């Protein structure tokens, strides 16, 4: 592996003028968020990955929590996880590379069963997704017979297969209300379930799953920042604890947060979600100020998703070169897990 990297390194040096010519326009778009010294490391990878994806008829998907060099440098589609899977399914690509986490790659495979789906690092999991299994859902269904199950898309295919309909953070309330039931089992995020419950008369039976990023935000630290910055707005993802959402001027999905900060008349924001979204906010509204909401340790370090950060340029290049690691699910599971996704799309 080291030898291969050295060979690539020498190749990059030989064509550095061409790399600069091709990648400079990309860098100009994000120069305010990526230092030039870092870009000199990223540019050779961006050059080679973009050439290789065309050769292999591949598309690269980047979740909104990806780093700027991935998001702006090599992705063909960038959005929330479900939107990525839907867009990729519309393409004629042979290969899909998911720059996100495992459940997102599974969802892309469910939506594009005939395409090869690659995940740069198979250990890119999710604390929320791993908090529940298909067996857990089966037990809940026995405990609450006849009660419909709504599962957040942030779940494994195993869980989706036991689900009546999926939802996103953007349409969760709408989906729950459309079930025409006095009770709904809502999985797996407990904080999102509480938020949905506050927006509907439906009784919500929740699961005690949480996102390790969003549960770390500290409301006392956030309110201290607000006191020292009159006029600043708090925006938050609904996976945050109730005490954070209680003070937020806007609650929404990553796409919703991006639109709000771009269109809002406010000039400064405290952002309570994964901090890699900040570079997109700065690109859309460079004149505005964005402060990452502090975590329980008083800093923003604990609010970075360790799984999202497993996607690196070197791993991306390797997976494209070798067509691995690849997502595989048996046909029976795929058929069952796809149904609640399709049902949700039909209801949207």
């Amino acid at each position: 592996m080291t030898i291969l990297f050295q060979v690539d390194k020498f190749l990059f040096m030989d064509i550095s003028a061409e790399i600069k010519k091709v990648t400079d326009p990309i860098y100009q778009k994000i120069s305010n968020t990526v230092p030039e010294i870092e870009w000199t490391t990223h540019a050779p990878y961006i050059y080679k990955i973009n050439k290789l994806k065309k050769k292999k008829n591949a598309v690269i998907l980047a979740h909104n929590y990806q780093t700027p060099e991935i998001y702006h440098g090599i992705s063909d589609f960038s959005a929330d996880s479900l939107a990525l899977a839907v867009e990729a399914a519309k393409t004629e690509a042979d290969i899909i590379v998911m720059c996100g986490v495992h459940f997102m790659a599974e969802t892309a495979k469910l939506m594009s069963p005939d395409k090869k789906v690659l995940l740069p690092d198979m250990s890119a999991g999710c604390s929320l997704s791993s908090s529940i299994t298909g067996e857990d859902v089966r037990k809940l269904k026995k405990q609450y017979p006849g009660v419909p199950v709504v599962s957040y898309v942030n779940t494994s295919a195993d869980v989706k297969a036991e689900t009546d309909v999926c939802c996103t953070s953007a349409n969760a309330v709408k989906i729950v209300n459309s079930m025409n039931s006095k009770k709904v089992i809502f999985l797996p995020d407990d904080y999102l379930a509480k938020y949905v419950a506050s927006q509907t008369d439906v009784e919500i039976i929740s699961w005690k799953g949480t996102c390790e990023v969003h549960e770390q935000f500290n409301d006392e630290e956030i309110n201290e920042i607000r006191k020292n910055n009159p006029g600043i707005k708090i925006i938050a993802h609904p996976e945050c604890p109730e005490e954070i959402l209680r003070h937020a001027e806007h609650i929404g999905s990553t796409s919703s947060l991006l639109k709000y900060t771009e269109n809002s008349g406010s000039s400064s924001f405290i952002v309570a979600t994964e901090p890699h979204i900040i570079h997109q906010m700065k690109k859309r509204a460079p004149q505005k100020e964005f402060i990452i909401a502090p975590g329980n340790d008083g800093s923003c370090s604990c609010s970075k998703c360790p799984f999202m950060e497993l996607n690196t340029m070197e791993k991306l290049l390797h997976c494209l070169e070798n067509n691995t690691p690849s997502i595989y699910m048996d046909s029976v599971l795929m058929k069952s897990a796809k149904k609640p996704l399709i049902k949700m799309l039909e209801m949207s």
Side-chain angles (χ1 to χ4, degrees), residues 15-219:
I15 56 175
S16 59
E18 184 179 352
I19 291 173
K20 182 174 175 59
K21 178 182 177 181
V22 172
T23 60
D24 267 3
I26 299 172
Y27 183 59
Q28 295 309 312
K29 298 177 183 178
I30 54 173
S31 57
N32 63 330
T33 58
V34 179
E36 189 172 359
I37 192 169
E38 289 184 17
W39 186 254
T40 58
T41 301
H42 299 315
Y45 283 106
I46 290 171
Y47 176 84
K48 193 162 187 182
I49 289 169
N50 282 336
K51 286 191 69 174
L52 193 56
K53 74 180 182 183
K54 290 180 180 179
K55 179 181 177 181
K56 292 199 168 189
N57 191 28
V59 291
I60 297 179
L61 313 181
H63 186 266
N64 282 328
Y65 293 154
Q66 285 301 295
T67 56
E69 65 272 11
I70 291 176
Y71 189 93
H72 299 287
I74 60 172
S75 70
D76 298 288
F77 300 101
S78 48
D80 291 334
S81 60
L82 181 63
L84 291 175
V86 171
E87 289 304 313
K90 297 176 184 177
T91 73
E92 297 298 323
D94 296 315
I95 298 172
I96 296 171
V97 182
M98 173 58 76
C99 299
V101 296
H102 194 272
F103 78 80
M104 296 178 187
E106 280 190 338
T107 303
K109 183 65 175 178
L110 293 174
M111 299 301 294
S112 300
D114 297 327
K115 293 180 171 68
K116 180 179 283 291
V117 177
L118 306 177
L119 183 66
D121 192 324
M122 279 293 183
S123 59
C126 169
S127 61
L128 183 55
S129 178
S130 63
S131 73
I132 191 168
T133 66
E135 179 59 28
D136 292 325
V137 184
R138 288 189 286 274
K139 289 178 180 178
L140 277 172
K141 289 161 77 172
K142 287 182 179 179
Q143 187 177 353
Y144 301 97
V147 177
V149 178
V150 176
S151 290
Y152 195 19
V153 291
N154 296 32
T155 50
S156 67
D158 188 41
V159 168
K160 288 182 175 73
E162 300 295 331
T163 296
D164 291 297
V165 60
C166 287
C167 74
T168 66
S169 55
N171 66 16
V173 175
K174 177 183 177 181
I175 294 294
V176 166
N177 284 333
S178 68
M179 299 308 292
N180 296 318
S181 176
K182 293 181 179 180
K183 294 181 180 181
V184 167
I185 298 171
F186 188 93
L187 313 167
D189 190 281
D190 190 40
Y191 294 129
L192 179 57
K194 285 183 171 63
Y195 172 73
V196 171
S198 73
Q199 304 295 309
T200 180
D201 293 328
V202 177
E203 180 182 343
I204 301 297
I205 301 165
S206 64
W207 185 256
K208 297 299 181 182
T210 59
C211 166
E212 67 181 70
V213 169
H214 292 98
E215 72 176 344
Q216 291 293 325
F217 293 121
N218 187 309
D219 64 316

Side-chain angles (χ1 to χ4, degrees), residues 218-326:
N218 187 309
D219 64 316
E220 292 183 4
E221 294 279 353
I222 290 173
N223 284 317
E224 189 64 29
I225 294 174
R226 170 178 263 172
K227 289 178 184 177
N228 296 326
N229 295 270
I232 198 168
K233 302 293 185 184
I234 298 174
I235 61 172
H237 194 281
E239 290 178 25
C240 289
E242 292 175 279
E243 57 267 25
I244 303 298
L245 300 183
R246 191 181 306 124
H247 302 294
E249 276 76 23
H250 182 75
I251 300 168
S253 64
T254 52
S255 294
S256 176
L257 297 180
L258 285 168
K259 290 177 184 177
Y260 180 81
T261 54
E262 182 178 12
N263 299 322
S264 171
S266 300
S267 59
S268 57
F269 305 87
I270 300 172
V271 183
T273 192
E274 214 279 349
H276 279 125
I277 201 171
I278 297 290
H279 68 80
Q280 299 171 60
M281 293 177 173
K282 287 182 177 179
K283 184 175 182 293
R284 294 183 181 206
Q287 76 282 9
K288 296 182 179 181
E289 180 185 12
F290 303 96
I291 298 174
I292 301 169
N296 290 327
D297 63 354
S299 74
C300 67
S301 59
C302 65
S303 62
K304 290 183 179 180
C305 176
F307 301 111
M308 286 288 183
E309 292 198 321
L310 290 175
N311 293 285
T312 65
M313 301 300 276
E314 187 173 359
K315 290 176 185 176
L316 276 160
L317 178 57
H318 179 268
C319 83
L320 256 182
E321 286 177 329
N322 299 281
N323 289 346
T324 187
S326 179

